[in-house]
Amino acid sequence: MSALRVGVLAYPGCFASEVFGVPDLLTMAMHVAGPDHAGYEVSIVSPRRRVAASGGTALSVSPLREVDVLVVPGFELVPGHDLDAGLALLAPEIAAIRSHTAAGNAVVSICVGAFLLAEAGLLDGRRVTTSWLFADELARRCPDADVRSRHMVVTDEGVTTTAAFSAMYDFALELIRRHSGAAVARTTARVALVDDARSSQSPYVDARLLPRPGDEFSHRVMRRLDQTLADRYDLTALSQTFNVSTRTLLRRFGDETGRTPLEYLQSSRVRRARHLLETTDRTVAGISTAVGYQDSATFAALFAKHTGQRPRDYRASFRRGVG
């Protein structure tokens, strides 16, 4: 049996512990298995030359290379965080994930790393999981995915997703079990003091941390904005739709999301524009109109603010095959 090539995708703001957690447990497994076992070839890879993880920790990275399994760690996600803007800045990593899976290789996300897989278009039609704390948000963003919020690890046709943080060890033990055998996995778990019998997140769910029932208001506003993406933004009309004053709408939406409805709409429009730039041959002007901007210059400036690139430059870098 040849060594299993495992690559961990490092990117700006990723959790350093989730970059090294899986490699460290695989190293322990190799010690347990002994020198005659083929083991694992592990590398920390990135499309960037330099990467600073969460907290500013500098990571030493290698260029992207072909691996059998690509592990995508999670990142800091807190209420009020502009997830769309953060993901837009990770376009090189999302393109790398897409390219890796297009070659028929397996990919694994740790915790909210699932949102990067979602941006790469890998979750539609699949059973997936993530941290119970963010499962509803993943389901909202990926309505075609079957989000199993109680599962610890879910694998569906080469795509594996895991629950939060320590679930990386549940995945790693399963990987060791498949590649090195049950005995090696069991002993590795004992050496590392890792539970090798977990299957559910349910014991860890704290209802006090889940979105408040009132958060459904902001979700309904978001759905309305998504449904009328190309329409002119009209705060008064939006407020009337929900039978509240403009002041009440702004206050409730802001309390629940940390943003204004307009800020959410702009990020949603950019997300849609990115998809159209990547997957269609429509003109930039046509895409601008499709996402609600008659003035292409205004659209281009907003797009650059969110992604760091002008629309044409973004398309040149991340266009997928069309046709």
Side-chain angles (χ1 to χ4, degrees):
M1 181 185 296
S2 59
L4 187 70
R5 300 170 299 171
V6 178
V8 182
L9 182 66
Y11 57 87
C14 65
F15 278 130
S17 56
E18 294 184 12
V19 170
F20 297 111
V22 172
D24 285 349
L25 203 64
L26 296 182
T27 297
M28 292 184 190
M30 286 192 286
H31 289 307
V32 169
D36 294 332
H37 179 59
Y40 309 88
E41 292 180 0
V42 184
S43 54
I44 312 300
V45 300
S46 174
R48 307 171 193 260
R49 296 180 59 186
R50 284 181 286 274
V51 173
S54 59
T57 303
L59 302 178
S60 177
V61 297
S62 301
L64 292 171
R65 65 187 68 175
E66 184 176 2
V67 293
D68 302 307
V69 181
L70 183 68
V71 179
V72 182
F75 55 91
E76 185 177 10
L77 182 56
V78 296
H81 176 82
D82 190 340
L83 181 56
D84 290 312
L87 291 172
L89 297 176
L90 299 178
E93 286 76 14
I94 292 165
I97 293 169
R98 192 180 297 125
S99 176
H100 170 81
T101 56
N105 299 313
V107 64
V108 181
S109 65
I110 308 299
C111 191
V112 295
F115 287 98
L116 276 75
L117 270 57
E119 288 296 298
L122 303 183
L123 302 190
D124 289 349
R126 284 189 166 95
R127 292 173 292 111
V128 301
T129 192
T130 187
S131 163
W132 57 265
L133 191 57
F134 302 108
D136 285 348
E137 174 65 14
L138 184 64
R140 186 187 69 79
R141 297 173 68 93
C142 300
D144 293 329
D146 180 5
V147 180
R148 307 290 181 91
S149 61
R150 301 306 192 199
H151 287 52
M152 195 69 71
V153 179
V154 174
T155 299
D156 192 337
E157 297 183 357
V159 174
T160 297
T161 49
T162 82
F165 196 73
S166 68
M168 63 183 167
Y169 298 122
D170 297 87
F171 154 71
L173 287 173
E174 179 57 29
L175 184 66
I176 294 165
R177 192 174 294 111
R178 294 200 310 266
H179 188 69
S180 305
V184 172
R186 187 165 52 250
T187 302
T188 301
R190 301 298 184 269
V191 170
L193 298 182
V194 174
D195 188 346
D196 63 344
R198 301 194 304 175
S199 62
S200 175
Q201 300 185 59
S202 296
Y204 304 91
V205 175
D206 185 341
R208 295 171 301 174
L209 301 178
L210 289 168
R212 301 184 304 275
D215 288 0
E216 176 60 24
F217 176 77
S218 61
H219 290 164
R220 288 190 290 123
V221 174
M222 290 177 184
R223 283 196 294 270
R224 177 64 178 175
L225 291 170
D226 286 336
Q227 290 166 356
T228 58
L229 198 69
D231 295 351
R232 183 177 67 86
Y233 177 67
D234 187 331
L235 179 60
T236 300
L238 184 64
S239 301
Q240 291 172 348
T241 299
F242 295 97
N243 298 313
V244 297
S245 67
T246 56
R247 182 176 180 179
T248 297
L249 185 141
L250 290 173
R251 176 181 56 77
R252 291 183 62 182
F253 193 89
D255 286 346
E256 293 177 13
T257 69
R259 291 193 283 177
T260 67
L262 179 58
E263 288 171 337
Y264 171 79
L265 177 62
Q266 289 174 337
S267 65
S268 188
R269 284 172 166 174
V270 169
R271 182 171 69 246
R272 176 60 178 167
R274 288 171 54 211
H275 175 75
L276 294 174
L277 287 166
E278 293 173 9
T279 61
T280 76
D281 57 4
R282 297 172 68 171
T283 65
V284 171
I287 292 173
S288 174
T289 301
V291 298
Y293 295 97
Q294 300 302 316
D295 183 355
S296 297
T298 299
F299 162 69
L302 176 71
F303 189 90
K305 178 182 177 181
H306 280 254
T307 68
Q309 291 183 298
R310 307 288 285 185
R312 286 186 176 82
D313 295 332
Y314 181 90
R315 167 173 274 169
S317 298
F318 302 110
R319 181 179 174 86
R320 308 182 208 175
V322 177

